[in-house]
Amino acid sequence: MIIVMQHGAGDAQVGQIIEELSKRGFTVHRSTGQSTTVLGVIGKTESIDSREVELLGGVDKVIRVSKPYKLAAREFHPSGTVLHVGNTALGGDEVAVIAGPCSIENEEMIHATAKALKALGAVGLRGGAFKPRTSPYAFTGLAEQGLCFLRDAAREHDMFSVTEVMEISQIELVASYCDILQVGMRNMQNYNLLRALGQIRKPVLLKRGNSATYEEWLMAAEYLLAGGNEQVILCERGIRTFETYTRNTMDIAAIPVIQSLSHLPIFADPSHGTGLRSKVPAMSRAAIAAGAHGLLVEVHPDPDHAISDGPQSLTFDQFSRMMVELRIIASATGRRLAGAE
């Protein structure tokens, strides 16, 4: 159930409603916009008479939410959530591009990559320190040393950092180094991990599982929100279909559909969405045209010799050309690239 407060309703009125509902065993989440406060009530709300709530001081209206995801639903935050990471707003009228290698291979490489990407317009630096690989014999990352390299490279070039966390025991370590914690597609329904990440107060980028429905994806986000972490970013990264030409099938339709269902920012990962370097720019353009708030793209100084995911990683030249195209598309949709001069 969603309670929309009247314009100008004071903290005392809001507090009284939260206190009363809490006494009755409900969990209440507060969202405050520029002019309106919205309360999300979680629990067996069918026992509440909406008319009774509407008579409480400061209440404008009560909305019954039939969707199983309550806090992730668009009704909870109709204007859309905007997260601030460093100097960048994620989810608003700017398009944020996060780029970097699949794996942090060494200190020199990640610093060179950060320098080049910053000059080309990226605002976030991505890189894997813990890599979930299909083969146990593949490179699985530099762990804490890689996190240190990533943090230092991002700071030196005024970028925020993004890396994946794979298990609960890694959360504290990763959060001490990085600005955004990523949940990969393999862990989208790792509910114990999601519950733990709901307790932290750092942004979490939640990738869609490769066979997850939109509702399952939003229910995974609900675990984070229900835990109290309101800083959630969704990321479409392709799904598994019968097609074998591409690594995955990039679901561009997910972007406008999710935006109609949820207030959360949504990014796209065309690198994993296609698995083919030559197809990444086209899918990036399509994602931004469809309304994505940003991109997560793999870029490497020498993709042909990358330790992991070389075939889907762009060169610096390819990334540069793509950014020129994205500026045009962002402008055509009434937006601009974050960090653009």
Side-chain angles (χ1 to χ4, degrees), residues 65-75 188-189 191 194 206-209 211-225 234 236 239 251 253-255 257-262 264 266:
V65 181
S66 58
K67 303 180 181 72
Y69 48 91
K70 311 298 183 183
L71 303 178
R74 169 65 67 175
E75 291 88 341
M188 189 209 81
Q189 291 181 306
Y191 299 123
L194 296 178
L206 179 65
K207 287 197 170 185
R208 180 185 181 186
S211 60
T213 65
Y214 298 153
E215 186 169 294
E216 289 168 342
W217 188 13
L218 290 172
M219 287 304 293
E222 192 79 2
Y223 271 85
L224 298 166
L225 296 166
L234 301 173
E236 164 61 36
I239 54 176
D251 185 7
I255 297 165
V257 171
I258 290 295
Q259 287 180 328
S260 69
L261 297 175
S262 177
L264 298 173
I266 180 167

Side-chain angles (χ1 to χ4, degrees), residues 16 27 39 63 100 136 191 206 226 233 255 265 277 290:
Q16 287 177 350
T27 300
L39 303 178
I63 303 171
Y191 299 123
L206 179 65
I233 305 160
I255 297 165
R277 187 185 313 158

Side-chain angles (χ1 to χ4, degrees), residues 265-341:
I266 180 167
F267 276 51
D269 177 354
S271 300
H272 285 91
T274 64
L276 297 170
R277 187 185 313 158
S278 62
K279 305 301 182 286
V280 169
M283 289 296 96
S284 297
R285 296 192 299 266
I288 299 307
H293 297 108
L295 297 174
L296 193 66
V297 184
E298 292 191 352
V299 183
H300 193 282
D302 185 9
D304 291 336
H305 296 93
I307 292 179
S308 58
D309 281 355
Q312 67 191 37
S313 299
L314 298 178
T315 65
F316 292 157
D317 285 343
Q318 289 173 320
F319 182 75
S320 177
R321 289 193 296 272
M322 186 183 79
M323 290 296 283
V324 172
E325 297 166 345
L326 295 182
R327 287 186 179 91
I328 297 171
I329 295 173
S331 177
T333 58
R335 299 176 295 167
R336 62 188 292 271
L337 286 188
E341 298 296 335

Side-chain angles (χ1 to χ4, degrees), residues 79-208:
S79 61
T81 291
V82 178
L83 308 180
H84 295 275
V85 183
N87 298 320
T88 304
L90 307 180
D93 293 330
E94 292 187 325
V95 175
V97 177
I98 303 168
C102 172
S103 300
I104 303 162
E105 298 173 6
N106 55 65
E107 184 174 17
E108 181 181 1
M109 181 271 273
I110 195 65
H111 276 267
T113 301
K115 180 179 180 180
L117 294 178
K118 176 65 176 181
L120 295 173
V123 293
L125 180 66
R126 60 141 293 147
F130 300 96
K131 296 300 301 178
R133 305 300 298 278
T134 302
S135 170
Y137 308 112
F139 176 69
T140 56
L142 297 178
E144 185 171 5
Q145 185 180 46
L147 294 174
C148 184
F149 293 160
L150 180 66
R151 177 200 61 191
D152 293 347
R155 286 181 178 177
E156 182 176 334
H157 298 286
D158 192 26
M159 305 170 78
F160 59 82
S161 55
V162 182
T163 198
E164 182 172 356
V165 58
M166 294 171 53
E167 56 186 62
I168 294 174
S169 63
Q170 296 171 353
I171 293 176
E172 184 176 353
L173 175 65
V174 174
S176 68
Y177 282 98
C178 294
D179 300 302
I180 299 177
L181 282 66
Q182 174 185 309
V183 175
M185 69 91 178
R186 292 175 177 85
N187 277 315
M188 189 209 81
Q189 291 181 306
N190 182 341
Y191 299 123
N192 289 332
L193 177 62
L194 296 178
R195 284 192 183 94
L197 287 169
Q199 302 303 310
I200 69 169
R201 297 299 176 262
K202 276 200 167 186
V204 175
L205 187 146
L206 179 65
K207 287 197 170 185
R208 180 185 181 186

